[in-house]
Amino acid sequence: MHLHHTTPATEDEAIARQLTLRERVSHEDSGPAPGAPATVAGVDVAYDDERGIVAAAAVTLDARTLEVRERATATGPVAFPYRPGLLAYRELPAVLDALGRLATPPDLVVCDGYGTAHPRRFGLAAHLGVLTGLPAIGVAKNPFTFRHRPPGPERGAWSPLVDDAEGPQEADGPADARDTEREFHGEEVGRALRTQPGVKPVYVSTGHRVSLPTACAHVLNLARRYRLPETTRAADQLCRAALKAATAHPGGTAQR
């Protein structure tokens, strides 16, 4: 299923569209199993705020070997002003363009950002998944406004990422004794997942067609050596290079 995307004219329209589209989100597993033969795409963007340009990259990897199969980029004007909770509208036109330039659609998309870990439970990973119909997950570098207890130090340890406005912000380290006894009351929107021993966790949330446990298993499969998944690392490097090329040579809008 592919839904057409247009940039909303106002903030109210953008929020209303999120609330409508989020009804289409599925958190049931209907994509590839972690580590199964599949193509996984990482997507990421880089901005030149002075010029109002955004560059997106889509890089597909073999889920078993983590070898790169294909790369695509797209650059263009930033389509929507900066508004917390509406960042997807700034990124979607370029990200959709880059994904569309891949010769083979991926079986799973890993976004550098959030899915259900979002004020309206509809971050970039959920929005992109609904628009494309592809299974998608979000992997973020920070917990946004949400809270969590420190996961254990070992690889694979996790703790719930909770929407608990009353709870104290948890740092990545030993918990205060009082916090250890405190219960977090709120909705679980994702997980703080330790991908490498003793390294800061990443923040995993479902986007579309993937359950939270499966999303975490995918991330561990893709993050075998470093904190971030190889999909994210590859897409980050490529979008930065694409932005540099676009700003050095104005007029170039896409690369394959």
Side-chain angles (χ1 to χ4, degrees):
M1 176 184 66
H2 293 266
L3 299 179
H4 181 63
H5 173 73
T6 57
T7 299
T10 66
E11 185 172 344
D12 286 344
E13 181 186 345
I15 292 172
R17 193 178 300 176
Q18 286 182 332
L19 296 177
T20 298
L21 289 177
R22 75 179 182 182
E23 299 302 319
R24 297 175 178 262
V25 170
S26 170
H27 300 307
E28 300 295 326
D29 287 316
S30 56
T39 300
V40 183
V43 297
D44 198 4
V45 301
Y47 292 96
D48 184 321
D49 292 321
E50 290 186 2
R51 296 178 174 86
I53 296 173
V54 60
V59 182
T60 58
L61 276 64
D62 184 300
R64 293 173 299 176
T65 67
L66 302 188
E67 293 179 354
V68 173
R69 288 186 173 180
E70 196 176 356
R71 300 177 177 89
T73 64
T75 61
V78 177
F80 196 81
Y82 175 82
R83 297 288 187 275
L86 299 174
L87 300 186
Y89 291 107
R90 295 167 60 84
E91 304 180 359
L92 278 168
V95 168
L96 289 167
D97 192 357
L99 278 173
R101 293 174 180 275
L102 295 171
T104 304
D107 300 303
L108 173 71
V109 180
V110 179
C111 298
D112 179 29
Y114 308 93
T116 54
H118 179 272
R120 286 173 290 280
R121 309 298 183 257
F122 199 68
L124 175 64
H127 206 147
L128 185 63
V130 167
L131 290 178
T132 62
L134 296 171
I137 62 177
V139 183
K141 302 178 186 71
N142 62 71
F144 193 35
T145 61
F146 305 112
R147 310 183 190 280
H148 67 94
R149 296 190 184 286
E154 70 277 9
R155 170 176 158 85
W158 60 272
S159 59
L161 188 63
V162 176
D163 187 356
D164 177 15
E166 300 303 319
Q169 177 65 54
E170 294 289 343
D172 182 37
D176 181 270
R178 291 173 299 174
D179 293 343
T180 301
E181 300 301 322
R182 181 183 182 125
E183 290 294 333
F184 280 82
H185 299 287
E187 179 183 354
E188 182 180 13
V189 297
R191 289 180 179 176
L193 176 67
R194 191 88 65 188
T195 56
Q196 298 299 324
V199 174
K200 290 175 61 175
V202 296
Y203 300 92
V204 181
S205 56
T206 60
H208 185 49
R209 296 180 54 196
V210 185
S211 68
L212 187 53
T214 298
C216 289
H218 277 299
V219 173
L220 288 172
N221 177 62
L222 296 167
R224 300 175 191 175
R225 297 179 59 192
Y226 301 101
R227 178 192 178 214
L228 295 177
E230 290 301 320
T231 41
T232 300
R233 287 166 47 84
D236 174 73
Q237 293 173 7
L238 185 59
C239 71
R240 291 175 186 272
L243 182 65
K244 183 177 181 180
T247 53
H249 304 287
T253 59
Q255 173 184 335
R256 193 169 186 171

